[in-house]
Amino acid sequence: MLVAKILGKIALAVASILAFKMLLSIPFSVRIPGFVMISLLGAWLIGLVSLEIVWLWRKRKPFPRLLSHLRYGPVAVLIISIAITLSFDAAMIEHSKYLIRSYVHGRSNPESIVDLKLHNDYRGWCGNGYTAREYYLYAETAAEGFSSPDPAVRARSVQASLAVYDWLNGVDDGPFYPIMDKAVRDDDPLVRAIAADFRRSMWRR
């Protein structure tokens, strides 16, 4: 029974340390060496096992508060890490949408290629998944300005849509292709030129 409890706590501690590492590395850009994380896990494991054995065999229970921290600390770290990471992602996604809207309705040159440095909460390793997630998060926001009567706003909306387009997967759903179909027939020559350049680039692929 004791071994099963310890193995369960070890699994929880590993998950907590990975979540803690993710918490530090994603929002705060802190890169923690692997040996540091292993050292933390080893120190926690030695302390927990030692105190659990002492509590099992001795009538007088030493360091009850320390043992409580060792037992439940990983759970608290895991919950706090997940909550902070999710909150950070949500806030950064809204900030990225604000950047898109500021660009589309701003005064930037609509002929220049835009680099908005948007936040992406994709945690996987696949580049296709990264671009697909970015398109899912921001395509609708980038397309909002295309309904504007101002041709410069429409042009920047097309540029923003190009910036978030899922080039790797070439998705057909979402607002991107309907906007491009309208853009090639737009009244403004710049909007038509941007859409035409995109179509030519796709034909060369």
Side-chain angles (χ1 to χ4, degrees):
M1 182 63 70
L2 177 62
V3 174
K5 286 183 178 180
I6 291 176
L7 289 177
K9 289 172 181 177
I10 290 173
L12 180 60
V14 171
S16 300
I17 286 179
L18 290 176
F20 184 64
K21 182 179 181 181
M22 181 178 66
L23 169 66
L24 293 178
S25 62
I26 294 173
F28 306 113
S29 300
V30 177
R31 300 299 177 187
I32 304 176
F35 76 90
V36 174
M37 307 307 295
I38 294 175
S39 300
L40 289 174
L41 177 61
W44 172 85
L45 180 60
I46 292 172
L48 175 65
V49 172
S50 300
L51 278 180
E52 290 283 9
I53 292 175
V54 170
W55 270 58
L56 181 66
W57 296 108
R58 291 184 59 178
K59 292 183 178 180
R60 185 175 179 275
K61 311 299 185 184
F63 307 111
R65 183 170 297 179
L66 176 59
L67 183 57
S68 295
H69 289 320
L70 292 173
R71 282 174 174 170
Y72 306 115
V75 179
V77 170
L78 182 61
I79 293 173
I80 293 172
S81 298
I82 292 174
I84 292 178
T85 302
L86 293 177
S87 300
F88 175 82
D89 281 337
M92 290 302 296
I93 288 170
E94 291 303 315
H95 177 68
S96 296
K97 291 179 179 180
Y98 167 78
L99 291 178
I100 294 174
R101 294 187 181 103
S102 297
Y103 163 75
V104 170
H105 296 281
R107 298 182 179 275
S108 301
N109 181 4
E111 296 185 60
S112 60
I113 298 175
V114 60
D115 182 14
L116 297 171
K117 301 187 186 307
L118 305 175
H119 180 74
N120 195 318
D121 61 355
Y122 178 70
R123 302 283 186 256
W125 55 269
C126 180
N128 294 59
Y130 187 91
T131 58
R133 180 61 177 168
E134 185 166 276
Y135 179 74
Y136 172 80
L137 289 172
Y138 304 117
E140 293 287 347
T141 306
E144 291 174 358
F146 196 75
S147 59
S148 172
D150 186 344
V153 173
R154 295 199 303 274
R156 285 190 290 267
S157 180
V158 173
Q159 292 283 29
S161 297
L162 288 171
V164 302
Y165 176 61
D166 185 3
W167 294 91
L168 291 179
N169 296 301
V171 294
D172 295 328
D173 58 342
F176 183 78
Y177 279 106
I179 283 182
M180 289 300 159
D181 291 339
K182 294 177 182 178
V184 295
R185 301 187 300 271
D186 195 86
D187 296 335
D188 185 71
L190 177 58
V191 176
R192 294 198 303 270
I194 295 172
D197 287 343
F198 164 73
R199 289 197 163 185
R200 283 193 294 270
S201 68
M202 293 302 292
W203 289 336
R204 289 196 295 266
R205 287 174 179 264

